[in-house]
Each structure stands twice: as C-alpha cells, then as structure tokens.
Amino acid sequence: LGGAVYRTPGREHTPAVIMILLDEMVKRRKALLSLLPKASAFVLPGYRMQYSSQNIFYRFKQNNNVIYFTGLKEPGDAVVISYDHKWHLFRQPDTPESVLWEGAKTPDDVIKQNHLIDHVHDLQTLSGFIDDLPNDVKLYLNQSQNDCVRFEADDRTLSVDPFIHRLRVIKSEYEIEQMEQSCQIAGNVFNTLRKKLRGMETERHVENYLEAAVKTQGAEGLAYVPVVAGGPRACTIHYTRNDQKLMGNELLLVDAGCVYNDYCSDITRTLQVGKLMTAAQEKVTEAVKTIQQTVLDWLAQNWKHHTLLDLQSVAYHQTVRELKGLGVDPKHVDTLFPHAIGHYLGMDLHDCPTVGMSAKLKPGMIITIEPGLYFTDSLDYPEEYRGIGVRVEDDVLITESGPRVLTENAEV
Ligand code: GLY
Ligand code: MN
Ligand code: MN
C-alpha cells in the first residue's frame, strides 16, 4: 500500500479489546501501590512500533507491564503514571495523517472507562508533568530499549521492576487459567506434530506447522522463535535457522511455546524422526528424562523451603550421575549442561528476572524444568554420543499441595 491513497477503516469502531478482568486490574494496582513508598510516582512507558526497514513495521507488541496494569495495547503512546493513586495516560494525539493510515485511536472516553484511566493527556506534556511533581516524590521507572519515551535517570529515579516482578511472579487464579490454556494448546500441538512428523521433509515444515497449529487452536502465535534442530544442530542451544532437511536416523529437538491471552507456554521435546532410535540416542534420551524426573520428584518433596537454585543443584548432581552411567567423564558437566534448569514463566518467557533464582518457591509461581545434554563433535566424548543433543522441558505450577505439571498433556 506504500504511497497509495487508501482509506483505512477508523479504529474508533473497534475499541481495544480488554483481555484482563477489571477487578483483577484493580487488585494488581492496589498491590503495587501498597509496595511503593507513599511519596512516589511511577512511569510505565509503552513500547513504540518496531520496523524491519523504512516504514515496514512488525506486528506491534506492547510492554507486558503496561498490559498487566491497564490492558492497553495501542503502540507508542501508552505512558501511564500513577501519582496520588490517580492513573494518567499520555497519548500521541491523532493527526489527519495517522487517522488516514492507521485509523483513529480508541477514543479517550473509552480508554477511561475500559482501562480505568483517570486522566488522559497529550504525550508532549509528560516531561512537564514530571518536572512539576513535588521534589520529595521518588520516580519509579520501568525502562527498556523499545520505550516510546526516554528519561534520563537521576538521583530521584529508581527502577520499579523489582516491585512489579514481585507481583507478577505469583499468578492469580485468572492468570493460572490463561497459563493452563497456553500450555494445553502447546502440548496438543506437540502431540499432533509427533503424528505428522513422518510426512515432513524439513525443519522449516515443522516450524510452519507449529505456528499454524497454535494459531488454529486460538493462540496469538508462537511465544518465541522456535528451535527446530535436527541431529547435531540440537547441540546449538539457540539454533533457529530451522532450514535443514530432516533425516530418518536423527533426533529432532523442538523447543516451542505459544502466547494465549498474553501468557506464554514453553515446551521442549526431542522427537524421533525415523522408526528406530540408535542405542546411543536412546541412552542419552533416557538420561535426560531421568534427570527431569529426579528434579520433579525432588520438587514435590522439597518445594516449600527451596529455590530454583536448589533445583539447579539437584539437576547438576543427577546429570553427573547420568554421565557416569553413560561412560562420559563428568568433568565435562558444565559444557554438556550449560544452561539453567529453569526460569519463571508468565507474560514474559523469562518472566520476572529481578526475582532471581534464589527466591523461595511459592504457590502461584510457574517455572520451567528443562534439563539437557548436548554432545558436540568433540574428542572429549565417546564417539557414539557425538552429534546428539537432547532436552526435555515442561512448565510447572507450584500449588499449596505441591507442584503440578501444566504441560502434562504433551507426550514425552
Ligand atoms: N525457549 C527458551 C527457553 O526454554 O528458555
Ligand atoms: Mn524455557
Ligand atoms: Mn524452551
């Protein structure tokens, strides 16, 4: 449509869809305000559009913190400030050109009503608004490289992220429902992929299938660029070229998840492309499954007073045992299992990073458990294992009565 005079239908007819319940939004805001000191304001810059070139834009992705507290998903103008418990939204006003090309923005009165915003302002007035705050007010900022506005941090600015992450790491009932659905969809898609894999010729087919299948089942799309790694490519942890031929005698490591109502799932299975596995492929696969089961069993017994870091240690020691069983020198453990056993999962894939791995596990947290072994083509390892990479990953909700695997439906 570049350059053509084209009338886009006004977006005033399609006010932003609210995905979160209003009472949920109110609870989240109250919880945040109760954590922050009284004399404070906080700023959540919405993201701006991202471009692949010139004016060719990617599909817009809003800052999840903005979604979490307001449900707002329009680009470039969603800067929210809370001060004196009032919520202010600073927006770029419509121009004749923006209305012509992008359509009109959701009207202010709809924003106020549907997103519980007290006051709407022009984005240009934001810095004046902040300058006018009393001197003793601490400014809590949530900053990232995609922000639609930048602030110079000074001695009265602090990061709001640790406060937000403390809330977001514990999922509400509503959030758990979204996570269950996200995991269910991704698990179903892995199961159908298993059945259809024999008819697929390349890693690209698999990636395309994953994307189409999660969308067909109601997800927004994949949660991240999936890893579809045949044979030795599985040993490259962030392999995403996904463009090679599938071979019947190789394993295929698939790490994929979807986004459903803003919540991510994250699953890995290492699939068999052909009818038979070699003895070495089977041994490595069984070792990784055993490590995962050991961590899950330990978690069931010990979650109450422990942390992700403790799970890392359990995984490490079991990996050492498995390596010995495989006849591999365990001094290579850190190279063969070089990543974390898991992370928090939620609206972001690597959710709430400021909470850290040494926080006590609590009901409402969702974590991944993802052990792996990656035998590159190195003389350090017995020849039979070289070129075999295996990971298995599941998503686990901590409940009062112990861990519950949300991705249980995905066959192992
Ligand atoms: N898919 C990235 C991860 O498992 O953390
Ligand atoms: Mn993961
Ligand atoms: Mn993953």
Side-chain angles (χ1 to χ4, degrees):
L1 300 175
V5 178
Y6 183 79
R7 219 169 257 287
T8 46
R11 263 194 282 164
E12 67 271 23
H13 301 303
T14 54
V17 180
I18 315 169
M19 290 299 193
I20 52 178
L21 310 169
L22 293 188
D23 62 342
E24 175 93 5
M25 211 191 282
V26 170
K27 270 192 220 153
R28 293 172 181 181
R29 291 178 179 189
K30 271 196 185 145
L32 181 66
L33 294 177
S34 75
L35 293 178
L36 294 177
K38 266 215 157 31
S40 61
F42 72 95
V43 185
L44 301 176
Y47 288 166
R48 57 193 152 84
M49 293 291 288
Q50 299 292 314
Y51 297 86
S52 63
S53 66
Q54 295 169 347
N55 53 356
I56 305 304
F57 49 84
Y58 290 107
R59 182 177 292 283
F60 178 65
K61 174 71 193 91
Q62 182 56 284
N63 178 346
N64 281 328
N65 291 326
V66 172
I67 299 176
Y68 186 78
F69 290 109
T70 70
L72 288 162
K73 289 189 173 176
E74 287 185 345
D77 55 3
V79 177
V80 180
I81 291 188
S82 169
Y83 174 59
D84 275 355
H85 294 207
K86 296 282 182 234
W87 289 71
H88 299 260
L89 175 65
F90 293 78
R91 320 178 75 194
Q92 262 156 3
D94 281 338
T95 62
E97 193 167 9
S98 71
V99 172
L100 178 64
W101 286 89
E102 281 110 44
K105 290 191 168 123
T106 308
D108 289 353
D109 55 337
V110 177
I111 291 279
K112 285 182 182 173
Q113 193 182 328
N114 286 1
H115 299 269
L116 307 181
I117 296 294
D118 298 302
H119 303 285
V120 177
H121 313 260
D122 187 325
L123 183 61
Q124 294 224 345
T125 65
L126 175 60
S127 52
F129 182 94
I130 290 177
D131 289 344
D132 289 346
L133 291 173
N135 272 340
D136 60 338
V137 168
K138 286 275 179 212
L139 202 56
Y140 286 87
L141 286 176
N142 168 233
Q143 287 192 299
S144 84
Q145 70 231 29
N146 296 341
D147 293 346
C148 63
V149 281
R150 295 297 301 169
F151 293 93
E152 292 304 322
D154 62 27
D155 54 4
R156 71 173 190 147
T157 57
L158 294 158
S159 172
V160 73
D161 297 9
F163 298 95
I164 296 179
H165 293 170
R166 258 166 75 185
L167 301 181
R168 276 183 46 185
V169 79
I170 307 290
K171 273 66 182 174
S172 67
E173 260 176 54
Y174 163 81
E175 290 184 292
I176 290 168
E177 281 166 24
Q178 314 313 310
M179 288 295 296
E180 284 170 340
Q181 192 59 27
S182 183
C183 291
Q184 187 78 28
I185 292 173
N188 289 344
V189 167
F190 268 84
N191 291 344
T192 50
L193 170 65
R194 248 176 226 281
K195 296 200 183 86
K196 293 177 189 282
L197 191 55
R198 297 262 154 79
M200 297 185 185
E201 287 180 9
T202 67
E203 294 164 348
R204 176 73 59 221
H205 276 106
V206 175
E207 174 172 340
N208 292 348
Y209 174 77
L210 292 168
E211 179 156 14
V214 297
K215 286 182 170 172
T216 306
Q217 289 204 36
E220 283 160 51
L222 294 172
Y224 49 93
V225 182
V227 178
V228 184
R233 296 176 294 285
C235 300
T236 304
I237 302 202
H238 285 166
Y239 174 81
T240 48
R241 279 181 56 170
N242 303 348
D243 61 357
Q244 299 295 297
K245 254 182 157 359
L246 302 182
M247 299 294 188
N249 58 348
E250 290 182 338
L251 298 178
L252 180 72
L253 187 153
V254 181
D255 183 344
C258 66
V259 183
Y260 176 80
N261 270 358
D262 302 317
Y263 288 83
C264 298
S265 43
D266 185 8
I267 299 180
T268 306
R269 293 289 182 266
T270 307
L271 308 171
Q272 200 178 316
V273 178
K275 287 209 168 93
L276 291 174
M277 270 201 208
T278 65
Q281 288 169 345
E282 203 160 317
K283 282 194 272 179
V284 178
T285 303
E286 283 311 308
V288 174
K289 285 186 195 172
T290 305
I291 299 165
Q292 196 201 37
Q293 196 55 53
T294 305
V295 175
L296 285 168
D297 291 346
W298 190 91
L299 182 64
Q301 296 301 318
N302 300 286
W303 68 270
K304 268 199 174 143
H305 305 289
H306 291 87
T307 66
L308 271 177
L309 218 50
D310 296 320
L311 295 184
Q312 186 77 35
S313 161
V314 174
Y316 176 91
H317 290 294
Q318 189 60 32
T319 304
V320 166
R321 280 192 281 275
E322 295 302 322
L323 289 179
K324 286 181 187 160
L326 290 170
V328 178
D329 188 336
K331 76 176 182 198
H332 301 301
V333 60
D334 290 326
T335 319
L336 288 164
F337 171 44
H339 55 74
I341 186 63
H343 50 85
Y344 307 110
L345 184 68
M347 297 180 91
D348 288 313
L349 193 78
H350 292 172
D351 210 36
C352 307
T354 64
V355 174
M357 289 185 82
S358 53
K360 288 257 157 58
L361 294 171
K362 292 203 183 97
M365 286 182 172
I366 296 176
I367 58 173
T368 64
I369 306 284
E370 46 182 309
L373 282 174
Y374 313 92
F375 289 97
T376 52
D377 190 19
S378 159
L379 298 178
D380 287 336
Y381 315 132
E383 194 174 353
E384 58 173 331
Y385 301 130
R386 292 182 208 154
I388 299 177
V390 174
R391 178 165 65 255
V392 60
E393 175 174 23
D394 283 280
D395 306 340
V396 179
L397 166 69
I398 308 294
T399 75
E400 289 289 352
S401 52
R404 178 155 71 84
V405 181
L406 298 181
T407 43
E408 205 169 38
N409 66 320
E411 292 159 29
V412 184

